[in-house]
């Protein structure tokens, strides 16, 4: 997110001085997937791979967006214009990724107003998924994590925190609901899910829990990242991107699954307008505003889940 400093010859909708925010994924706006609103899966910007993104391994030649200046390809399509000034600065910054991605996770699950939702992971995306479900009229939202600060944030936005380090999270949720399962589930963790003590990686942990906790014919939304190969995986199968989970139970329950990166362009202008109207304030998740020079330290603290680091905004 920033101010346009210079425009190329092909740019017609933007001018120097405009305040804009970019999706974390880069898209051309013209390929089949872009035309269908699936900009996360642009086939043009990164041939041979379904999608391109700033700074992601294997996702194209676009250097990371955390820098003093950022080059924006296909700017007329990718840049979302914001009102001038500095109002809603922290909220708008979250339109680049986590607010749309959390919303996307709920959308992928097939959610309808009045339904109950279980969100696994209370990192920034998980908190945004819980917040999005609340905004969209969920009757109950359960958020699963093991970090106290994150669970407290979930509680503050009207969600029911579930600490999976204490016991099986699916059983905890069903116990609170008199044995009933929830309507929808969101995986905001991905392949780096851990065991209950947080000490070992267990890539299938969340998938197993979702299948256990979502009712028959319910839906699973999986915006959490899974990768085709993982050299640091705990076993040879998941190192090749093969994840073991109870497909038989999934089939028996008739569950629907939606997966994939967020098509930020599908949601960001509408979420922007919710912010402007005062209907949404996603910046509740921001714990620190730091200079770009402090990025290394901030990443280290965020990775270790210490000092209340939930979401950090870096300022050039």
């Amino acid at each position: 997110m920033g101010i346009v400093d210079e425009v190329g010859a092909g740019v017609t909708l933007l001018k120097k001085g405009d305040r804009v925010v970019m999706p974390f994924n880069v898209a051309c706006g013209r390929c089949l997937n872009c035309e269908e609103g699936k900009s996360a899966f642009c086939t043009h910007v990164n041939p041979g791979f379904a999608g391109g993104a700033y700074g992601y391994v294997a996702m194209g030649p676009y250097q990371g967006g955390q820098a003093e200046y950022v080059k924006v390809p296909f700017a007329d399509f990718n840049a979302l214009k914001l009102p001038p000034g500095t109002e809603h600065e922290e909220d708008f910054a979250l339109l680049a990724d986590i607010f749309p991605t959390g919303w996307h996770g709920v959308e992928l699950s097939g959610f309808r107003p009045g339904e109950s939702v279980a969100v696994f992971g209370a990192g920034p995306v998980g908190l945004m998924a819980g917040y999005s479900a609340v905004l969209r009229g969920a009757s109950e939202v359960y958020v699963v994590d093991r970090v106290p600060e994150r669970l407290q944030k979930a509680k503050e936005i009207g969600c029911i925190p579930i600490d999976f380090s204490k016991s099986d999270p699916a059983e905890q949720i069903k116990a609170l609901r008199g044995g009933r399962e929830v309507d929808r589930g969101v995986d905001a963790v991905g392949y780096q899910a851990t065991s209950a003590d947080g000490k070992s990686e267990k890539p299938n942990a969340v998938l197993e829990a979702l299948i256990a906790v979502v009712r028959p014919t319910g839906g699973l939304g999986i915006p959490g990242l899974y990768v085709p190969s993982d050299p640091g995986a705990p076993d040879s199968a998941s190192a090749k991107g093969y994840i073991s989970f109870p497909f038989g139970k999934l089939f028996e329950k008739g569950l629907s699954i939606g997966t994939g990166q967020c098509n930020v362009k599908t949601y960001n202008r509408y979420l922007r307008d919710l912010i402007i109207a005062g209907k949404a304030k996603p910046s509740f998740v921001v714990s620190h505003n730091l200079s770009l020079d402090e990025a290394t330290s901030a990443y280290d603290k965020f990775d270790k889940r210490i000092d209340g680091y939930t979401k950090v905004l870096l300022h050039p």
Side-chain angles (χ1 to χ4, degrees), residues 152-281:
Q152 179 58 34
K153 283 280 187 185
K155 187 175 182 179
E156 289 170 5
I157 58 171
C159 300
I160 301 164
I162 302 292
D163 185 346
F164 78 92
S165 69
K166 294 181 177 178
S167 64
D168 181 273
E171 293 305 317
Q172 286 189 62
I173 292 170
K174 286 189 283 188
L176 289 172
R177 293 175 54 79
R180 292 179 299 121
E181 297 152 315
V182 295
D183 298 299
R184 309 288 163 180
V186 177
D187 175 357
V189 179
Y191 75 106
Q192 290 183 302
T194 68
S195 55
D197 60 9
K199 293 180 179 178
S200 57
E201 205 170 282
K202 190 180 177 186
N204 60 354
V206 172
L207 296 175
E208 286 188 344
L210 284 173
I211 291 168
V213 80
V214 174
R215 66 169 172 83
T217 73
L220 314 181
I222 307 178
L225 180 65
Y226 288 86
V227 292
S229 63
D230 173 19
D235 59 82
S236 59
S238 50
K240 298 174 184 176
Y242 289 82
I243 308 294
S244 173
F245 64 94
F247 193 90
K249 198 66 179 177
L250 178 95
F251 180 89
E252 177 190 301
K253 295 177 84 170
L255 299 174
S256 300
I257 298 181
T259 69
Q261 280 197 53
C262 175
N263 305 301
V264 176
K265 289 279 298 177
T266 300
Y267 313 109
N268 63 359
R269 68 184 60 249
Y270 306 105
L271 300 182
R272 173 199 63 190
D273 293 347
L274 280 178
I275 291 168
I276 293 170
K279 305 290 187 182
K281 193 167 182 59

Side-chain angles (χ1 to χ4, degrees), residues 2-7 11 14-20 22 79:
I3 306 297
V4 175
D5 189 68
E6 185 180 344
V7 295
V11 178
L14 301 167
K15 65 181 186 304
K16 182 181 173 73
D18 282 343
R19 183 164 63 145
V20 295
M22 260 65 66

Side-chain angles (χ1 to χ4, degrees), residues 51-64:
Y54 285 110
Y56 272 55
V57 175
M59 291 198 70
Y62 313 101
Q63 294 182 1

Side-chain angles (χ1 to χ4, degrees), residues 100-111 132 136 184 186 220-221 258 266-267:
T101 298
W103 191 278
H104 181 61
V106 176
E107 184 75 15
L108 285 173
S109 76
F111 171 81
S132 296
R136 296 174 68 166
R184 309 288 163 180
V186 177
L220 314 181
T266 300
Y267 313 109

Side-chain angles (χ1 to χ4, degrees), residues 8-81:
V11 178
T12 60
L13 302 178
L14 301 167
K15 65 181 186 304
K16 182 181 173 73
D18 282 343
R19 183 164 63 145
V20 295
V21 62
M22 260 65 66
F24 73 92
N25 37 31
V26 178
C28 73
R30 301 195 294 260
C31 70
L32 174 63
N33 282 341
C34 284
E35 284 188 345
E36 292 186 344
K38 299 170 183 173
S39 56
F41 303 93
C42 177
T43 56
H44 176 70
V45 296
N46 188 22
F49 193 103
Y54 285 110
Y56 272 55
V57 175
M59 291 198 70
Y62 313 101
Q63 294 182 1
Q66 295 175 355
E68 291 85 352
Y69 293 91
V70 178
K71 187 179 289 186
V72 182
F74 307 102
D76 279 339
F77 179 71
N78 286 300
L80 176 68
K81 289 180 72 171

